[in-house]
Amino acid sequence: MRLTNYSDYALRSLIYLATKPEPHLLANISDIANSYHISRSHLTKIIHQLGQLGYIDSVRGKNGGIRLACAPKDINLGVLIKQIEPDFNLVECFSTDLLINPKPDNANSDSSFNGNDDNAVAKDLSLTLIDEEASAGVKSGCIISPVCQLKQVFFEALTAFINVLERYTLADIISNEAELAELLFYRNGLNSFVE
């Protein structure tokens, strides 16, 4: 499983905003791009989506900028990744329908997988596999797709990946805030926040 650069840059942007020295002041996209040496135009699209999802507040105008819209403890990494990652199809015959909301606390936490009931497991894990009968009209490149059990292994691996991410928030990954701030803001002299 590999996340796209889009998800990587979204996480880095949130880390930047969460660790900036004056949280009440606005940051700008150019400073984030310069700090990480990434494309400003690509980052603009990401920041726009993070704003639409409610993670970032944007202020337009001459003294405009961006800041976190919620506390780092309220930004769940698994939920964020499911919202912004475009594709979780690990193999051609595998499809995911990820729910935006995390599993409820009272959900069955038994992570064992016996491979016999795709639908029950998928429902419990907020993921679904393609219904082989419904997709019979779709040409697959793999002749064994209707009976293949490899996709169950990939399904279990993907579910474990998402479940681990759902255990962490932005606050968890910025616990070394002073060290992050040193690298992001002070070492490179990048500190142009707007009042």
Side-chain angles (χ1 to χ4, degrees), residues 11-21 31-32 35-36 68 72 169-191 193:
L11 289 166
R12 289 197 224 180
S13 297
L14 293 173
I15 290 169
Y16 182 99
L17 294 172
T19 58
K20 65 186 175 64
D31 283 345
I32 297 172
S35 288
Y36 290 117
L68 284 181
T169 67
L170 182 59
D172 295 322
I173 62 170
I174 62 163
S175 61
N176 60 338
E177 190 172 341
E179 296 161 319
L180 290 166
E182 172 65 27
L183 293 171
L184 288 170
F185 308 111
Y186 303 117
R187 185 169 291 177
N188 295 321
L190 298 172
N191 193 351
F193 305 118

Side-chain angles (χ1 to χ4, degrees), residues 14 55 68-78 80 168-171:
L14 293 173
Y55 293 110
L68 284 181
C70 49
K73 68 178 180 57
D74 296 327
I75 300 175
N76 182 283
L77 301 182
L80 171 69
Y168 295 94
T169 67
L170 182 59

Side-chain angles (χ1 to χ4, degrees), residues 19 25 37 48 52 67 69 83 90 98 121 126 128 147 161 174 184 195:
T19 58
L25 298 180
H37 307 288
H48 177 72
Q52 288 181 319
R67 65 177 155 237
Q83 289 175 318
L90 299 180
L98 295 173
V121 172
S126 302
T128 57
V147 297
F161 177 76
I174 62 163
L184 288 170
E195 296 247 17

Side-chain angles (χ1 to χ4, degrees), residues 48-60:
H48 177 72
Q49 183 180 12
L50 290 173
Q52 288 181 319
L53 293 170
Y55 293 110
I56 291 177
D57 281 333
S58 296
V59 177
R60 295 186 181 269

Side-chain angles (χ1 to χ4, degrees), residues 44-188:
T44 300
K45 297 172 193 168
I46 295 166
I47 296 298
H48 177 72
Q49 183 180 12
L50 290 173
Q52 288 181 319
L53 293 170
Y55 293 110
I56 291 177
D57 281 333
S58 296
V59 177
R60 295 186 181 269
K62 181 181 175 192
N63 293 321
I66 57 174
R67 65 177 155 237
L68 284 181
C70 49
K73 68 178 180 57
D74 296 327
I75 300 175
N76 182 283
L77 301 182
V79 172
L80 171 69
I81 293 301
K82 289 190 292 186
Q83 289 175 318
I84 62 175
E85 191 64 29
D87 186 341
F88 285 93
N89 297 334
L90 299 180
V91 289
E92 166 182 38
C93 60
F94 187 74
S95 177
T96 59
D97 181 16
L98 295 173
L99 299 177
I100 299 307
N101 299 321
K103 292 188 299 185
D105 290 337
N106 62 355
N108 179 2
S109 61
D110 180 16
S111 62
S112 62
F113 183 82
N114 63 18
N116 295 330
D117 189 354
D118 286 349
N119 292 331
V121 172
K123 182 179 177 189
D124 181 49
L125 299 173
S126 302
L127 295 166
T128 57
L129 292 172
I130 287 179
D131 179 354
E132 293 297 340
E133 290 177 19
S135 62
V138 177
K139 272 210 166 212
S140 171
C142 183
I143 191 74
I144 64 171
S145 183
V147 297
C148 181
Q149 294 186 24
L150 179 60
K151 66 184 169 190
Q152 295 171 351
V153 174
F154 284 123
F155 177 79
E156 186 177 356
L158 174 60
T159 301
F161 177 76
I162 295 296
N163 287 341
V164 168
L165 288 174
E166 286 182 345
R167 293 194 329 239
Y168 295 94
T169 67
L170 182 59
D172 295 322
I173 62 170
I174 62 163
S175 61
N176 60 338
E177 190 172 341
E179 296 161 319
L180 290 166
E182 172 65 27
L183 293 171
L184 288 170
F185 308 111
Y186 303 117
R187 185 169 291 177
N188 295 321

